[in-house]
Amino acid sequence: MRMLRFSFINFRNGFKSYLSLVLSLSFSILVLYNFQNIIYSEAFAVLGQRNKQYIDMLIQTVSVVLVCFLFFFVWYATNVFLTRRKREIGIYIFMGMSNRKIGSLYMIEISFVGITALLAGVGFGVLFAGLFQLVMGAVSDTEIDVRFGVSYKPVVFTAVSFLTVYLIFALKGYWNIVRSSVLSMISAARQNEYVHRKSQVFIVKAVLGILVLAAGYVLANKGTNQDMLANALLAVVLVIVGVYLLFGGLIPLVFQTLAGRKSFLYSGQRCLWVNQTIFRMRKNYRTYAMVCIIGICSATALATGFAMRERYNNMILFDNQYTFQLLTNQPNLGEQAERLIRGEADIACQTSLEALSVDRDHLVVAYSDVKRAAQEGGLSPIVREPADNETFYLSHQMLLSLIMGNRQIPVTLGDEIFQETEVIRQPYVGYMQKQMGCFYIVSDTAYERLRQKSQTLYIHNYKIADDTDFERARAAIDVLISNTDENYTARVAVNPFDNDLEWIKVLHALCVFMFLVFIVAGGCIMFMKLYNDAFEEKERYLVLKKIGFSSRTLAASVAKELLGAYMLPFVVMTVSAYFSVNALGRMMYTNLFSIYLVSMLVVLGVFALCYILSVAVYRKNVGV
Amino acid sequence: MNDKKVVEIKNLVKSYGAKDFQTTVLKGIDLTIYKDDFIAIMGPSGSGKTTLLNILSTIDKPTQGTVMLDGKDVTRISNKELAKLRKDKIGFVFQDYNLLDTMTLQDNIALPLALDGVPARQILERIRELSAAFGIEEQLRKYPYQLSGGQKQRGAVCRALITNPEIIFADEPTGALDSKAGKDLLHCLRRVNESGQATILMVTHDPHSASYAKDVYLLSDGMMKCRIGRGNDRKEFYNRIIDLQTSIGGDFS
């Protein structure tokens, strides 16, 4: 009981120093709670069961990522915290306390931190749950049913996940203290972080880092068809290793070289902040590397979200190219169909095509026919006419495709062998193209040759002007459907109100949130690290003040040192993210450069904010 | 003796506490330090040595009186001017060296001039001169944690001297050193003083250290009790300091 009281007094008195830890932990808890709350709040139930299932699945996946992230975040935060507290609580040894008792004291104290963070995180989470759902709905551009109220399930999930992770690291801290020697405890916070090593070690690390990173970039952007996924996975590993080597080798090497060039070093505050950065580098390089990797992940998450959103838009556009399509063996059905539809709805656009049923599995269309239909349907034209023995496959828009580049596949159309050289994703034959998956474009000559041995079919496509007329128009056209040997007519109707793909929009919103969560977390880690550093630097700045340096000079040095701390991961992140986003763009058949720029600007904004806060807090803590 | 006054203290009073519970630490100190002086201030614990040094170093402000440093009254100038004065006119040497462990000894010594915008070539030249005078050329590339106490303190003196200050304030400079290292340092201080490179005011409780100064002032109960000059023989001067200490009494440790 006395221990509990003692720990509580410690926690209460030192709350200011715990604040950064409590805030960052509660932020992670808040995010986790809000994602979980979406599943149980039924906010997306209005989108239908199928969408809801997909969204729940996505959120569970995101939650797993968040819990993993929480794991590493708590690991990092408690480590930083333990080093700082160790020296303070180490003094209890002189009061006759055993290591076990000190460990227990730490456990209880850190439990107060955890419980405060949990209460604050869930509390604010509940408070902002409605707002979170609203923002989620707005970002994903979906209709959602915002419900205020607390469901115990997300609270339990969040609390259990967090407390489990937290307990692991509280126990780890306890074990660490129990096994620590008196000396190591007392000098823990003063452990010198010298990184001034032989340049050869840095050179080897730097060269390795550059090579590994370059290999990662090349691999991620190498277009070798089916190897893309394997390449991407290997590239991720290489980039992570490369970033660590870069921060552990190249950057200390650069700074050490700069410090050796006295003509550079002895200029203004450089002597202070360059040396300070070298001094801090050994411990901080892992933090910089971690923040850098988090930044790359966040930019890639955002780019994924936007690529998905673009893909969704393309899929919707593809599917809705035509509202009604008829596939028939009767040459003159088009006029009758048009008349029937016009009786109920205005037609915005209509096209007709001829197709050859060359065998049971393939339908062939002529290049010039498709070219005309494309023009009438307002679609981009085909780049070129296929060669005589060549064919283009008419595919459809997909959410994710790992097949890259052009292919050369032999296809037997009727009794002739053609080389399939292109896959076209324009809806020249509308939704039918996606549904049937058997359309091929051939040259006009080849088409005429195949005509002799094939049955001719007629395709009529109609897009209605007003979506609200859909049901009536469909009922009208349905009278034409028949399936006899002489009279074959099939109808395709695309309901413009169909929302089967709405979950993709939510995926987009989730990616945007993940981006923000990651980048804010990255900023938090940097802030926390520098906040902690400031306590260790206090004495040093006191010395500088004592020997006559003005607060202004020291403040300028702090500003430069911290600018370096934020800029280093930002620069490496900017270069690496360019390649990762580019690789993603290649995989998703889209140009994501603008998204890359936006994400980097947002990262810069978040970092700028954290930088300003860090400088203010650092200056306050070191007293300049 | 050089006639140029570097520091002139008149009727310096320093009190702490509220009106009814005031403790007066310094009770009207008068002291003039001329260029090339080497003064040691001794006194028992609580006599006001540190308070006096803090006021002279512009870290603390007096309750009453004036402190003229290089012709300026430090009690009346702005903080900005004070910082400039500290940077340009005063060199500090502390008992615990106060070297920055983040940089090499050379960078530590160079720091004041580097921050002042002096060209690197000039800084390096000045470091070369000083390190040779203090015998630490071989140690310049080392970090403070790789140096002995004596080497650190000699480095700290070099740092204090690099800006050619009007005066060096040394607060128990040999306090953390063994007798050999302390002696070496004092020899160095005396040498730079005698060669006209530095005016030194040293606060110490150690009669041996004080015997290296040209004049010793004894501070007791916030007042300057007496001043003794060295003469020609340091050992005889040391004995006189001991006698004086005994006559005044109090704890000099």
mmCIF file of all heavy atoms in Angstrom, chain B residues 35-56:
data_model
loop_
_atom_site.group_PDB
_atom_site.id
_atom_site.type_symbol
_atom_site.label_atom_id
_atom_site.label_comp_id
_atom_site.label_asym_id
_atom_site.label_seq_id
_atom_site.Cartn_x
_atom_site.Cartn_y
_atom_site.Cartn_z
ATOM 1 N N LYS B 35 45.189 45.934 -14.699
ATOM 2 C CA LYS B 35 45.625 45.017 -15.752
ATOM 3 C C LYS B 35 46.891 44.276 -15.293
ATOM 4 O O LYS B 35 47.749 44.853 -14.623
ATOM 5 C CB LYS B 35 45.902 45.797 -17.038
ATOM 6 C CG LYS B 35 46.156 44.896 -18.231
ATOM 7 C CD LYS B 35 46.070 45.635 -19.520
ATOM 8 C CE LYS B 35 46.578 44.836 -20.692
ATOM 9 N NZ LYS B 35 46.414 43.432 -20.692
ATOM 10 N N ASP B 36 46.962 43.007 -15.620
ATOM 11 C CA ASP B 36 48.082 42.105 -15.282
ATOM 12 C C ASP B 36 48.139 41.730 -13.807
ATOM 13 O O ASP B 36 49.132 41.153 -13.351
ATOM 14 C CB ASP B 36 49.446 42.692 -15.717
ATOM 15 C CG ASP B 36 49.519 42.851 -17.223
ATOM 16 O OD1 ASP B 36 48.739 42.143 -17.913
ATOM 17 O OD2 ASP B 36 50.300 43.680 -17.712
ATOM 18 N N ASP B 37 47.099 42.057 -13.051
ATOM 19 C CA ASP B 37 47.034 41.585 -11.656
ATOM 20 C C ASP B 37 46.747 40.088 -11.645
ATOM 21 O O ASP B 37 46.139 39.544 -12.574
ATOM 22 C CB ASP B 37 45.882 42.281 -10.911
ATOM 23 C CG ASP B 37 46.352 43.583 -10.276
ATOM 24 O OD1 ASP B 37 47.544 43.890 -10.404
ATOM 25 O OD2 ASP B 37 45.505 44.283 -9.673
ATOM 26 N N PHE B 38 47.168 39.441 -10.578
ATOM 27 C CA PHE B 38 46.780 38.044 -10.335
ATOM 28 C C PHE B 38 46.354 38.016 -8.871
ATOM 29 O O PHE B 38 47.185 38.004 -7.968
ATOM 30 C CB PHE B 38 47.964 37.121 -10.608
ATOM 31 C CG PHE B 38 47.631 35.640 -10.517
ATOM 32 C CD1 PHE B 38 48.576 34.692 -10.884
ATOM 33 C CD2 PHE B 38 46.389 35.177 -10.064
ATOM 34 C CE1 PHE B 38 48.301 33.325 -10.809
ATOM 35 C CE2 PHE B 38 46.104 33.831 -9.996
ATOM 36 C CZ PHE B 38 47.062 32.901 -10.372
ATOM 37 N N ILE B 39 45.053 38.069 -8.665
ATOM 38 C CA ILE B 39 44.537 38.213 -7.311
ATOM 39 C C ILE B 39 43.860 36.918 -6.867
ATOM 40 O O ILE B 39 43.119 36.298 -7.649
ATOM 41 C CB ILE B 39 43.528 39.387 -7.255
ATOM 42 C CG1 ILE B 39 44.305 40.690 -7.359
ATOM 43 C CG2 ILE B 39 42.675 39.349 -5.994
ATOM 44 C CD1 ILE B 39 43.433 41.899 -7.518
ATOM 45 N N ALA B 40 44.138 36.537 -5.650
ATOM 46 C CA ALA B 40 43.420 35.398 -5.082
ATOM 47 C C ALA B 40 42.543 35.915 -3.959
ATOM 48 O O ALA B 40 42.974 36.737 -3.158
ATOM 49 C CB ALA B 40 44.405 34.373 -4.549
ATOM 50 N N ILE B 41 41.301 35.461 -3.950
ATOM 51 C CA ILE B 41 40.411 35.833 -2.849
ATOM 52 C C ILE B 41 40.179 34.587 -2.015
ATOM 53 O O ILE B 41 39.733 33.564 -2.533
ATOM 54 C CB ILE B 41 39.102 36.439 -3.362
ATOM 55 C CG1 ILE B 41 39.427 37.771 -4.042
ATOM 56 C CG2 ILE B 41 38.084 36.609 -2.241
ATOM 57 C CD1 ILE B 41 38.264 38.526 -4.567
ATOM 58 N N MET B 42 40.520 34.682 -0.766
ATOM 59 C CA MET B 42 40.325 33.548 0.146
ATOM 60 C C MET B 42 39.341 33.938 1.233
ATOM 61 O O MET B 42 39.111 35.115 1.470
ATOM 62 C CB MET B 42 41.658 33.183 0.817
ATOM 63 C CG MET B 42 42.695 32.635 -0.141
ATOM 64 S SD MET B 42 44.112 32.056 0.770
ATOM 65 C CE MET B 42 43.484 30.589 1.551
ATOM 66 N N GLY B 43 38.790 32.958 1.826
ATOM 67 C CA GLY B 43 37.873 33.253 2.920
ATOM 68 C C GLY B 43 37.238 31.986 3.404
ATOM 69 O O GLY B 43 37.175 30.992 2.660
ATOM 70 N N PRO B 44 36.772 31.978 4.642
ATOM 71 C CA PRO B 44 36.120 30.771 5.148
ATOM 72 C C PRO B 44 34.787 30.537 4.439
ATOM 73 O O PRO B 44 34.286 31.414 3.757
ATOM 74 C CB PRO B 44 35.900 31.068 6.632
ATOM 75 C CG PRO B 44 36.219 32.500 6.831
ATOM 76 C CD PRO B 44 36.808 33.067 5.598
ATOM 77 N N SER B 45 34.231 29.365 4.666
ATOM 78 C CA SER B 45 32.933 29.058 4.059
ATOM 79 C C SER B 45 31.907 30.074 4.521
ATOM 80 O O SER B 45 31.862 30.425 5.703
ATOM 81 C CB SER B 45 32.468 27.663 4.493
ATOM 82 O OG SER B 45 33.362 26.712 4.012
ATOM 83 N N GLY B 46 31.104 30.562 3.605
ATOM 84 C CA GLY B 46 30.049 31.520 3.938
ATOM 85 C C GLY B 46 30.550 32.941 4.027
ATOM 86 O O GLY B 46 29.803 33.840 4.432
ATOM 87 N N SER B 47 31.792 33.165 3.621
ATOM 88 C CA SER B 47 32.320 34.528 3.735
ATOM 89 C C SER B 47 31.842 35.433 2.599
ATOM 90 O O SER B 47 31.958 36.643 2.679
ATOM 91 C CB SER B 47 33.847 34.487 3.762
ATOM 92 O OG SER B 47 34.324 33.884 2.573
ATOM 93 N N GLY B 48 31.321 34.820 1.541
ATOM 94 C CA GLY B 48 30.790 35.620 0.430
ATOM 95 C C GLY B 48 31.640 35.553 -0.836
ATOM 96 O O GLY B 48 31.407 36.315 -1.774
ATOM 97 N N LYS B 49 32.597 34.616 -0.882
ATOM 98 C CA LYS B 49 33.486 34.509 -2.058
ATOM 99 C C LYS B 49 32.688 34.243 -3.344
ATOM 100 O O LYS B 49 32.864 34.936 -4.350
ATOM 101 C CB LYS B 49 34.468 33.324 -1.895
ATOM 102 C CG LYS B 49 35.408 33.409 -0.747
ATOM 103 C CD LYS B 49 36.424 32.280 -0.801
ATOM 104 C CE LYS B 49 35.820 30.900 -0.766
ATOM 105 N NZ LYS B 49 35.520 30.359 0.550
ATOM 106 N N THR B 50 31.836 33.235 -3.284
ATOM 107 C CA THR B 50 31.091 32.844 -4.486
ATOM 108 C C THR B 50 30.129 33.952 -4.898
ATOM 109 O O THR B 50 29.980 34.244 -6.093
ATOM 110 C CB THR B 50 30.341 31.524 -4.226
ATOM 111 O OG1 THR B 50 31.291 30.595 -3.733
ATOM 112 C CG2 THR B 50 29.688 30.995 -5.464
ATOM 113 N N THR B 51 29.507 34.601 -3.889
ATOM 114 C CA THR B 51 28.586 35.698 -4.212
ATOM 115 C C THR B 51 29.340 36.814 -4.926
ATOM 116 O O THR B 51 28.870 37.338 -5.944
ATOM 117 C CB THR B 51 27.942 36.238 -2.912
ATOM 118 O OG1 THR B 51 27.401 35.148 -2.196
ATOM 119 C CG2 THR B 51 26.863 37.258 -3.201
ATOM 120 N N LEU B 52 30.522 37.113 -4.406
ATOM 121 C CA LEU B 52 31.325 38.164 -5.024
ATOM 122 C C LEU B 52 31.683 37.794 -6.465
ATOM 123 O O LEU B 52 31.538 38.596 -7.400
ATOM 124 C CB LEU B 52 32.603 38.393 -4.199
ATOM 125 C CG LEU B 52 33.599 39.405 -4.765
ATOM 126 C CD1 LEU B 52 32.987 40.805 -4.814
ATOM 127 C CD2 LEU B 52 34.880 39.441 -3.936
ATOM 128 N N LEU B 53 32.089 36.532 -6.649
ATOM 129 C CA LEU B 53 32.471 36.092 -8.000
ATOM 130 C C LEU B 53 31.264 36.110 -8.947
ATOM 131 O O LEU B 53 31.380 36.510 -10.105
ATOM 132 C CB LEU B 53 33.068 34.685 -7.938
ATOM 133 C CG LEU B 53 33.813 34.258 -9.191
ATOM 134 C CD1 LEU B 53 35.074 35.084 -9.379
ATOM 135 C CD2 LEU B 53 34.173 32.788 -9.139
ATOM 136 N N ASN B 54 30.114 35.696 -8.435
ATOM 137 C CA ASN B 54 28.902 35.702 -9.271
ATOM 138 C C ASN B 54 28.540 37.116 -9.717
ATOM 139 O O ASN B 54 28.120 37.323 -10.857
ATOM 140 C CB ASN B 54 27.719 35.084 -8.512
ATOM 141 C CG ASN B 54 27.803 33.572 -8.480
ATOM 142 O OD1 ASN B 54 28.601 32.978 -9.202
ATOM 143 N ND2 ASN B 54 27.009 32.955 -7.629
ATOM 144 N N ILE B 55 28.716 38.079 -8.805
ATOM 145 C CA ILE B 55 28.396 39.466 -9.167
ATOM 146 C C ILE B 55 29.409 39.984 -10.194
ATOM 147 O O ILE B 55 29.043 40.593 -11.190
ATOM 148 C CB ILE B 55 28.344 40.365 -7.914
ATOM 149 C CG1 ILE B 55 27.130 39.955 -7.058
ATOM 150 C CG2 ILE B 55 28.225 41.854 -8.304
ATOM 151 C CD1 ILE B 55 27.055 40.631 -5.710
ATOM 152 N N LEU B 56 30.662 39.663 -9.940
ATOM 153 C CA LEU B 56 31.699 40.100 -10.887
ATOM 154 C C LEU B 56 31.508 39.452 -12.264
ATOM 155 O O LEU B 56 31.748 40.071 -13.296
ATOM 156 C CB LEU B 56 33.095 39.743 -10.358
ATOM 157 C CG LEU B 56 33.580 40.545 -9.158
ATOM 158 C CD1 LEU B 56 34.914 40.003 -8.656
ATOM 159 C CD2 LEU B 56 33.747 42.010 -9.533
#
